[in-house]
Amino acid sequence: MPSIRLQGSDGEIFEVDVELAKQSVTIKAMLEDLVMDDEGDDDPIPLTNVNVAILKKVTQWCTHHKDDPPPPEDDENKEKQTDDITVWDQEFLKVGQRTLFELILAANYLDIEGLLNVTCKTVASMIKEKTEEIHKTFTVESDFTEEEEAQMRKEKLV
Amino acid sequence: MERKDFETWLDNISVTFLSLTDLQKNETLDHLISLSGAVQLRHLSNNLETLLKRDFLKLLPLELSFYLLKWLDPQTLLTCCLVCKQWNKVISACTEVWQTACKNLGWQIDDSVQDALHWKKVYLKAILRMKQLEDHEAFETSSLIGHSARVYALYYRDGLLCTGSDDLSAKLWDVSTGQCVYGIQTHTCAAVKFDEQKLVTGSFDNTVACWEWSSGARTQHFRGHTGAVFSVDYSDELDILVSGSADFAVKVWALSAGTCLNTLTGYTEWVTKVVLQKCKVKSLLHSPGDYILLSADKYEIKIWPTGR
C-alpha cells in the first residue's frame, strides 16, 4: 500500500496510507497538483493548520470509515438529527472538548465531510442535552443584566 | 521515555482519566500539580487561559459556528441566545438557520431578504401566533351594532369595513374603534365592494348598483340578472364590473356606461364568487399583468381571460 508523508504544524512528519489520505478532499487536491509536477514527490505535504496528534486521531477515524458510502445529498428541508451518531463514533469522540474543537477545525481544513458532520453533531447534542448547563459545559459567563435577560425572555416567550 | 511508548501511555491514562468521577479527576489534577516543578507550573500559568477556553463560538471561525448551529432546532437556539451577548450576536446573525426555521413552519422564503434578524423575528411571530391559535387567544371579537336586519355582505379595506344588510342600507365602520362612520340607503345587499369614491352593491333584488358616497345617490343600475347577485367585483382601470348570480350566470358590465357587455354561462349552480385579478404568473392563457376573471359555483372554478 503506497503511503504519503504529511507534515503537521509542529514540524513532525506522519506517514499515512494514500487511499486513507484521499478521504480528505484537501489532500486529494494537493496530490493531484503534485502529480502534475514531477519534481519533489518525496517531500512531505505540509499541513500548516493541523498538529500531528490531531492528525493521528483523524487517521484513526478515516481508517474506520474507509468503506463508508458517500454521504447523501443535503436535504435542506429536512430537520437535521443529532441522535444518529454510531456507537463507534460516540466512543471515538469521547475526548476532551478541546480535542473535539480541534477535530472540527481539522475536519474543516482537510475537508472531510463525514468527520466534520459527526463532530458538529456531537457538540450540538451536547448543547441539546445540557441546555440548562451550557454556561458550565462551555465555560461561558453570562454578561446580560437582569433587565436585559427579562426583556429577551419576553421576546422568546413560548 | 520513547515517543511511541509515551503516546501509548498517554492514551491509556486518558481513557482511565475520563472514566473517573469529578472528585477523582480533581484529586488527580491536584496530585499532578503537587508533583510538578517550576517548569510545569510556569507552563500551566502561561497556557491556562487558552487551555480553559471551550467556548466554541469564540474558538471556531464564524462559518464553522454557523455550520454547527444548523444542527440545532429553533427552540434550543433561542435558549442559547440567552447564554451570553456573544452567543446571542452570533446565533442571531445566522441567516440560514432562521430561514430554515421559517421554511419548516411553511413560510415562503424570500431569498432577497438576507437579514438574519428579520427571519428570526418572523419565526418568533409565527410561533407566537400558532400558540395563540392553540390557546384560543388569537382572535379578538367585537360587535358592531347598527343594522336592523340580517347582514350578509362584507368588504374590508384600509381599516374600514363595509357592511351590507337586508335593512336596505350599507354602513362603513372604523375597525379599530368599532364605530360606524358612514351609512347610505341602498337595496338589500348580498355583496359589497367600495373605494374612496363609490360603493358597488349586488342585491337580492337581482340587480347591481353603484352609489356615490358623498351624495348617497345611485349612479348606475345594472339590470339583467334573473336571480340574486351574490358577488361583485370591479376594476376602474378596465372600466368593468362583473357580477355572479343565482341565475347560474356571470355578467360583465361597462362600469361607467352601465351596459351589459357579456353574459358568461355554463354554470350548473349559483355563482357565489367573482374576482377580477391581475395575474402575476405566466401561463398558457395569460401573462403577468393581464386581467383574468375567476368565478366559482358549488362545483367548479372557472377562469376567463378578459381579452384586454
Side-chain angles (χ1 to χ4, degrees):
Chain A
M1 267 182 303
S3 59
I4 54 165
R5 285 159 42 198
L6 306 170
Q7 181 172 46
S9 58
D10 40 8
E12 232 190 285
I13 309 282
F14 179 63
E15 212 169 294
V16 79
D17 173 47
V18 167
E19 283 315 304
L20 277 188
K22 282 193 188 169
Q23 278 189 46
S24 154
V25 176
T26 310
I27 295 183
K28 189 161 175 232
M30 284 181 183
L31 286 174
E32 280 163 11
D33 283 343
L34 284 178
V35 165
M36 312 288 257
D37 163 28
D38 272 332
E39 292 183 30
D41 326 285
D42 281 339
D43 286 344
I45 297 184
L47 296 172
T48 47
N49 285 352
V50 196
N51 68 45
V52 171
I54 293 296
L55 214 46
K56 287 185 179 163
K57 284 288 277 183
V58 173
T59 311
Q60 215 186 326
W61 188 90
C62 289
T63 310
H64 186 262
H65 286 266
K66 69 177 190 292
D67 295 321
D68 277 3
E73 269 293 309
D74 199 15
D75 182 359
E76 274 181 25
N77 291 328
K78 222 172 61 166
E79 263 203 47
K80 298 204 173 187
Q81 289 175 297
T82 56
D83 52 3
D84 54 354
I85 306 174
T86 65
V87 176
W88 189 93
D89 278 339
Q90 281 180 44
E91 283 304 311
F92 174 76
L93 291 171
K94 273 191 182 148
V95 293
Q97 268 182 42
R98 186 95 204 170
T99 311
L100 192 52
F101 297 144
E102 289 188 1
L103 281 171
I104 294 180
L105 289 166
N108 182 51
Y109 173 66
L110 295 170
D111 201 350
I112 306 174
E113 194 180 335
L115 182 58
L116 184 60
N117 285 352
V118 79
T119 44
C120 285
K121 274 196 214 186
T122 305
V123 177
S125 64
M126 278 162 74
I127 298 176
K128 275 197 201 170
E129 274 168 45
K130 301 200 185 137
T131 346
E132 297 311 308
E133 302 180 346
I134 290 185
H135 292 98
K136 237 189 356 175
T137 313
F138 296 100
T139 55
V140 195
E141 263 185 47
S142 170
D143 49 359
F144 283 120
T145 64
E146 263 186 51
E147 297 88 27
E148 286 170 338
E149 214 184 288
Q151 178 61 26
M152 291 201 62
R153 278 190 199 282
K154 212 173 84 168
E155 274 180 48
K156 178 222 161 176
L157 195 67
V158 169
Chain B
M1 207 193 249
E2 282 287 336
R3 180 82 205 168
K4 241 190 167 329
D5 295 329
F6 172 66
E7 284 177 8
T8 318
W9 172 79
L10 201 58
D11 279 335
N12 289 336
I13 62 166
S14 298
V15 172
T16 322
F17 186 75
L18 286 170
S19 69
L20 300 174
T21 66
D22 273 331
L23 224 51
Q24 288 169 326
K25 283 180 181 166
N26 288 352
E27 220 182 295
T28 312
L29 288 174
D30 289 343
H31 191 76
L32 284 174
I33 292 176
S34 72
L35 292 173
S36 299
V39 178
Q40 285 73 54
L41 293 177
R42 210 178 317 129
H43 170 83
L44 199 60
S45 145
N46 287 341
N47 296 310
L48 200 59
E49 222 207 297
T50 13
L51 288 171
L52 285 182
K53 282 221 185 81
R54 299 167 171 202
D55 180 357
F56 69 90
L57 273 168
K58 282 205 185 125
L59 288 171
L60 297 176
L62 201 61
E63 52 167 42
L64 273 185
S65 293
F66 281 179
Y67 191 76
L68 208 156
L69 290 175
K70 286 199 283 188
W71 261 281
L72 294 172
D73 58 283
Q75 285 313 112
T76 309
L77 285 165
L78 288 169
T79 311
C80 289
C81 283
L82 286 171
V83 168
C84 72
K85 291 185 179 169
Q86 176 67 6
W87 277 45
N88 183 38
K89 193 163 161 220
V90 173
I91 296 174
S92 303
C94 182
T95 311
E96 205 179 325
V97 124
W98 297 109
Q99 270 187 347
T100 308
C102 291
K103 207 186 277 190
N104 289 339
L105 283 182
W107 216 268
Q108 281 258 347
I109 302 299
D110 176 5
D111 262 319
S112 65
V113 179
Q114 280 297 313
D115 176 25
L117 213 50
H118 165 90
W119 292 111
K120 185 181 175 196
K121 286 185 182 160
V122 166
Y123 174 77
L124 286 168
K125 199 164 160 204
I127 289 284
L128 180 64
R129 188 60 84 214
M130 283 167 66
K131 181 160 197 293
Q132 283 173 332
L133 285 167
E134 264 178 49
D135 296 342
H136 306 288
E137 285 170 12
F139 300 106
E140 285 172 12
T141 45
S142 61
S143 298
L144 305 174
I145 315 284
H147 282 293
S148 52
R150 177 183 72 168
V151 174
Y152 198 88
L154 294 169
Y155 188 79
Y156 173 86
R157 183 191 142 125
D158 293 338
L160 288 172
L161 177 69
C162 177
T163 55
S165 163
D166 281 352
D167 66 5
L168 310 175
S169 75
K171 293 188 194 289
L172 264 183
W173 310 79
D174 178 332
V175 171
S176 51
T177 61
Q179 295 304 312
C180 176
V181 297
Y182 207 68
I184 56 173
Q185 295 285 6
T186 60
H187 44 191
T188 59
C189 299
V192 289
K193 181 172 171 177
F194 71 96
D195 56 46
E196 273 150 33
Q197 282 75 40
K198 59 182 182 294
L199 168 70
V200 169
T201 56
S203 174
F204 287 106
D205 69 6
N206 303 356
T207 68
V208 177
C210 188
W211 314 79
E212 191 182 57
W213 280 123
S214 48
S215 59
R218 187 180 68 192
T219 53
Q220 287 294 351
H221 202 192
F222 304 87
R223 277 188 277 228
H225 278 298
T226 54
V229 179
F230 285 119
S231 178
V232 291
D233 198 358
Y234 63 84
S235 161
D236 287 312
E237 197 188 332
L238 298 177
D239 193 37
I240 328 180
L241 179 138
V242 293
S243 56
S245 164
D247 65 2
F248 299 13
V250 167
K251 284 187 185 288
V252 183
W253 316 78
L255 184 56
S256 39
T259 50
C260 178
L261 300 170
N262 210 349
T263 303
L264 307 171
T265 54
Y267 300 93
T268 52
E269 271 293 338
W270 293 355
V271 180
T272 48
K273 188 83 188 169
V274 288
V275 177
L276 268 174
Q277 182 77 6
K278 206 167 186 177
C279 48
K280 294 178 189 168
V281 294
K282 202 169 166 60
S283 87
L284 290 173
L285 294 170
H286 42 75
S287 318
D290 289 350
Y291 270 89
I292 50 172
L293 168 60
L294 298 131
S295 56
D297 67 12
K298 194 166 160 190
Y299 302 108
E300 283 183 327
I301 296 178
K302 291 195 199 294
I303 305 181
W304 307 81
T306 58
R308 292 198 200 196

